[in-house]
């Protein structure tokens, strides 16, 4: 097989893994005994088969698969209405692949709390520094809350890639427009709710929003949905069944263009 820098290591958990592997093609790892670890090197065509294998295996709990190196370090922008499930899916992705993905470190003018390390929790800067960065157009997005500035800088996104991880940005429509104007060469994923009624149910069910806040988010959701219809994203995933949405997310984040 051609070595194109795509590696997967599989840890077999039961004997059925091998059967699953053979079902999707000869490129798959030979998983014979529980606990076996097999490294797969695949070309582009095989990769698609391996991704199918990961999906099949995940659905059947046959193996745990670890992406040992990323298919792409291009940042991934995930957007979608508030309450559509972005945090839910990303939390699972980060828990499962802690070495493959990272969030960028934001800038803030608020003071560090005890235990917060500069450059880890935030880049802590003073107001003049932050305002200078705004003028230099260093931020993808920035806002002021309770008298403090917060912002995501382009460099902070690039830094995640420098450390060998794919940066995931969870941002709104304005952020998407902003990222598109940079040289970040990001990939764009839109997470859609099955319907606006279901979105409202999820927002209310989360128990974090006042009725006014739900209304505000629902109004914004309509704008986000209309924006997605303009074709601004590389992929739209409808978060109906959580398991299916997660599998679609996995396929997207490990897919190489
Ligand atoms: N597929 C799903 N089916 C049912 N409930 C879901 C599904 N996905 C997420 N939820 C629930 O919907 C609620 C909103 O999800 P979540 O907080 O992840 O949304 P979000 O897009 O990150 O919102 P925000 O942008 O406001 O942070 C949560 O209570 C979550 O448990």
């Amino acid at each position: 097989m051609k070595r194109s820098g795509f590696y997967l290591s599989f840890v077999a958990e039961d004997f059925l893994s091998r059967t699953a592997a053979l079902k999707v093609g000869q490129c798959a790892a030979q998983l014979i005994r529980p606990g076996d670890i097999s490294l797969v090197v695949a070309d582009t065509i095989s990769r698609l088969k391996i991704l199918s294998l990961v999906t099949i295996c995940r659905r059947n709990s046959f193996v745990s698969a670890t992406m040992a190196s990323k298919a792409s370090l291009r940042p991934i922008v995930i957007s979608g209405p508030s309450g559509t499930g972005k945090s839910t899916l990303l939390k699972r992705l980060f828990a499962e692949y802690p070495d493959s993905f990272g969030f960028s470190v934001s800038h803030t003018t608020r003071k560090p709390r005890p235990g917060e390390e500069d450059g880890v929790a935030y880049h802590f800067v003073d107001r003049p520094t932050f305002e200078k960065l705004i003028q230099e157009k260093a931020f993808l997005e920035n806002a002021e809350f309770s008298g403090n500035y917060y912002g995501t800088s382009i460099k902070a996104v690039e830094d995640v890639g420098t450390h060998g991880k794919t940066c995931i940005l969870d941002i709104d429509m304005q952020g998407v427009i902003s990222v598109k104007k940079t040289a970040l060469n990001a990939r764009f994923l839109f997470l859609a709710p099955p319907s606006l009624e279901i979105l409202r149910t999820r927002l209310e069910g989360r128990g974090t929003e006042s009725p006014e806040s739900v209304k505000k988010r629902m109004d914004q959701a309509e704008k986000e949905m209309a924006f997605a219809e303009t074709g601004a994203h590389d992929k739209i995933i409808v978060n109906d069944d959580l398991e299916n949405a997660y599998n679609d997310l996995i396929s997207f984040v490990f897919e190489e263009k």
Side-chain angles (χ1 to χ4, degrees):
M1 257 176 223
K2 197 171 85 185
R3 287 178 176 260
S4 63
F6 181 78
Y7 303 92
L8 275 170
S9 68
F10 291 99
V11 183
E13 285 170 1
D14 66 41
F15 290 93
L16 294 172
S17 306
R18 188 162 186 249
T19 320
L22 293 174
K23 267 190 206 157
V24 292
Q26 293 309 315
C27 67
Q30 298 294 302
L31 302 171
I32 296 164
R33 289 185 309 273
D36 269 4
I37 299 178
S38 186
L39 187 70
V40 178
V41 184
D43 60 19
T44 311
I45 296 166
S46 314
R47 175 178 306 130
L48 295 176
K49 291 182 182 168
I50 290 170
L51 283 171
S52 315
L53 171 66
V54 172
T55 304
I56 288 172
C57 292
R58 184 187 312 287
R59 286 199 177 121
N60 295 287
S61 304
F62 290 159
V63 300
S64 61
T66 307
M67 299 287 173
S69 91
K70 280 66 62 188
S72 165
L73 286 182
R74 291 171 64 192
I76 292 173
V77 173
I78 177 164
S79 62
S82 170
T84 201
K86 301 178 297 293
S87 315
T88 306
L89 288 167
L90 290 180
K91 200 171 154 201
R92 187 164 162 191
L93 180 75
F94 276 71
E96 200 166 348
Y97 302 102
D99 300 329
S100 300
F101 302 98
F103 286 124
S104 57
V105 177
S106 299
H107 283 66
T108 184
T109 55
R110 85 153 164 76
K111 295 280 169 273
R113 295 182 186 131
E116 281 185 337
E117 207 181 313
D118 185 33
V120 180
Y122 282 98
H123 295 292
F124 294 101
V125 293
D126 57 19
R127 285 185 79 87
T129 306
F130 199 103
E131 282 162 1
K132 186 164 175 277
L133 288 168
I134 295 177
Q135 275 170 10
E136 290 170 357
K137 300 201 186 314
F139 292 113
L140 292 171
E141 52 174 11
N142 63 275
E144 194 168 359
F145 298 111
S146 315
N148 291 308
Y149 284 128
Y150 293 84
T152 308
S153 75
I154 296 170
K155 181 168 182 308
V157 174
E158 289 169 343
D159 284 350
V160 177
T162 309
H163 291 98
K165 294 185 179 183
T166 302
C167 183
I168 304 254
L169 284 156
D170 175 351
I171 50 181
D172 68 5
M173 186 173 115
Q174 288 309 325
V176 169
I177 293 167
S178 178
V179 173
K180 279 181 180 275
K181 289 182 186 154
T182 69
L184 281 172
N185 192 25
R187 300 169 66 216
F188 297 88
L189 172 67
F190 185 81
L191 191 67
S195 69
L196 286 172
E197 296 86 81
I198 292 177
L199 180 67
R200 181 186 292 279
T201 311
R202 285 186 190 165
L203 273 173
E204 289 171 348
R206 191 166 68 175
T208 52
E209 312 306 321
S210 65
E212 298 73 44
S213 168
V214 170
K215 183 175 181 318
K216 211 168 131 192
R217 282 160 202 262
M218 290 302 296
D219 290 347
Q220 185 60 28
E222 290 188 28
K223 292 182 193 151
E224 292 271 351
M225 300 290 278
F227 179 56
E229 279 173 23
T230 65
H233 306 85
D234 296 303
K235 174 134 181 111
I236 295 179
I237 294 177
V238 178
N239 182 17
D240 189 350
D241 176 77
L242 190 61
E243 217 44 44
N244 287 342
Y246 185 66
N247 286 322
D248 288 347
L249 173 70
I250 290 293
S251 298
F252 180 76
V253 298
F254 284 109
E255 166 191 298
E256 193 179 67
K257 279 226 145 204

